[in-house]
């Protein structure tokens, strides 16, 4: 005996599991094929269809279907596919945003590492200078004293100050050659 959509729906609404299983078996594969045309992934298509049947059974006593059961099922799968695609679009946007932020973070971290390496080379180079040479260089570069002022402060000739600063700069250029653009 062939049952009408209304009869099938009423039996499911009353909790007739056998009728529900028959409906499931009758439409499951066709609905999966239909969904896969939209989501382009058979596993996701099956998830959409399974979710439809799950909701149909869970809310059987609250649903009121006024169109043919087949139309209802296909429309529900279509809507489920749209929801999945909208959700996927949001995920893709978030992933792109995350990759961009992570890339900027990694770039900042990389720059920080390079700055630390540069700072270490400069400090090691300055620490390797003889005491008087380092002191002369720091007075000039860090305290901003002119050669004449350094010479007077340390009781040295201006030529000695020039020679020591030249020595420090030569060693810094040598040690920083990989960090200086040509």
């Amino acid at each position: 005996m062939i049952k009408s959509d209304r009869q099938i729906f009423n039996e499911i609404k009353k909790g007739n599991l056998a009728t529900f299983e028959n409906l499931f078996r009758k439409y499951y594969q066709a609905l999966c094929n239909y969904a896969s045309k939209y989501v382009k992934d058979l596993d996701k298509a099956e998830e959409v269809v399974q979710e439809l049947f799950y909701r149909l059974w869970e809310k059987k006593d609250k649903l009121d279907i006024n169109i043919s059961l087949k139309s209802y099922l296909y429309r529900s799968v279509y809507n489920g596919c749209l929801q999945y695609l909208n959700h996927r679009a949001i995920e893709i946007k978030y992933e792109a945003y995350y990759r961009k932020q992570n890339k900027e973070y990694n770039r900042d971290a990389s720059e920080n590492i390079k700055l630390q390496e540069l700072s270490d080379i400069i400090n090691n180079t300055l620490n390797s200078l003889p005491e008087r040479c380092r002191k002369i260089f720091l007075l000039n570069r860090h305290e901003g004293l002119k050669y004449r002022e350094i010479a007077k402060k340390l009781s040295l000739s201006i030529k000695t100050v020039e020679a020591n600063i030249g020595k420090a700069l030569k060693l810094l250029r040598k040690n920083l050659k990989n960090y200086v653009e040509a």
Side-chain angles (χ1 to χ4, degrees):
M1 176 177 142
I2 298 176
K3 296 179 184 177
S4 71
D5 286 350
R6 179 58 56 201
Q7 289 171 321
I8 293 170
F9 181 66
N10 285 335
E11 286 184 24
I12 291 172
K13 206 168 183 172
K14 292 176 185 174
N16 186 328
L17 189 57
T19 302
F20 179 77
E21 287 175 353
N22 287 335
L23 181 71
F24 179 86
R25 276 193 228 101
K26 180 177 180 180
Y27 287 104
Y28 181 77
Q29 192 59 52
L31 290 171
C32 287
N33 293 339
Y34 178 70
S36 69
K37 292 177 185 177
Y38 293 102
V39 297
K40 309 294 186 216
D41 180 341
L42 190 55
D43 290 334
K44 294 300 175 187
E46 286 181 352
E47 283 181 34
V48 168
V49 174
Q50 288 168 3
E51 179 66 21
L52 162 67
F53 279 105
Y54 172 78
R55 279 182 295 140
L56 182 65
W57 183 254
E58 284 295 305
K59 298 181 180 191
K60 63 186 173 292
D61 52 341
K62 296 176 186 157
L63 291 176
D64 188 25
I65 301 174
N66 297 321
I67 56 176
S68 77
L69 203 47
K70 182 177 180 179
S71 296
Y72 173 80
L73 294 173
Y74 276 89
R75 176 54 67 185
S76 296
V77 167
Y78 175 79
N79 290 337
C81 290
L82 289 181
Q83 285 178 334
Y84 167 76
L85 293 172
N86 286 335
H87 181 71
R88 186 67 189 126
I90 291 168
E91 285 177 336
I92 290 169
K93 285 180 186 177
Y94 176 77
E95 287 170 3
Y97 172 78
Y98 178 77
R99 276 194 300 274
K100 181 181 176 196
Q101 294 300 324
N102 198 30
K103 189 177 190 180
E104 289 174 8
Y105 172 78
N106 287 339
R107 185 177 62 233
D108 290 345
S110 175
E111 289 173 6
N112 288 339
I113 290 170
K114 286 179 183 176
L115 286 174
Q116 185 59 48
E117 288 175 0
L118 191 58
S119 178
D120 290 346
I121 290 171
I122 292 169
N123 288 332
N124 290 338
T125 301
L126 292 177
N127 289 333
S128 73
L129 291 171
E131 181 64 31
R132 184 175 73 175
C133 184
R134 179 175 59 248
K135 188 172 187 175
I136 291 170
F137 184 80
L138 292 175
L139 286 171
N140 176 253
R141 299 300 166 140
H142 289 196
E143 294 184 27
L145 297 179
K146 295 184 176 18
Y147 290 5
R148 190 177 351 95
E149 295 169 322
I150 296 169
K152 185 176 179 183
K153 183 174 185 171
L154 299 179
S155 302
L156 299 171
S157 73
I158 294 176
K159 288 288 183 192
T160 302
V161 172
E162 287 176 356
N164 279 282
I165 289 179
K167 182 179 179 181
L169 288 174
K170 183 177 179 183
L171 189 57
L172 281 168
R173 276 193 292 273
K174 178 184 168 204
N175 292 343
L176 295 172
K177 69 183 177 209
N178 293 331
Y179 290 90
V180 178
E181 294 179 16

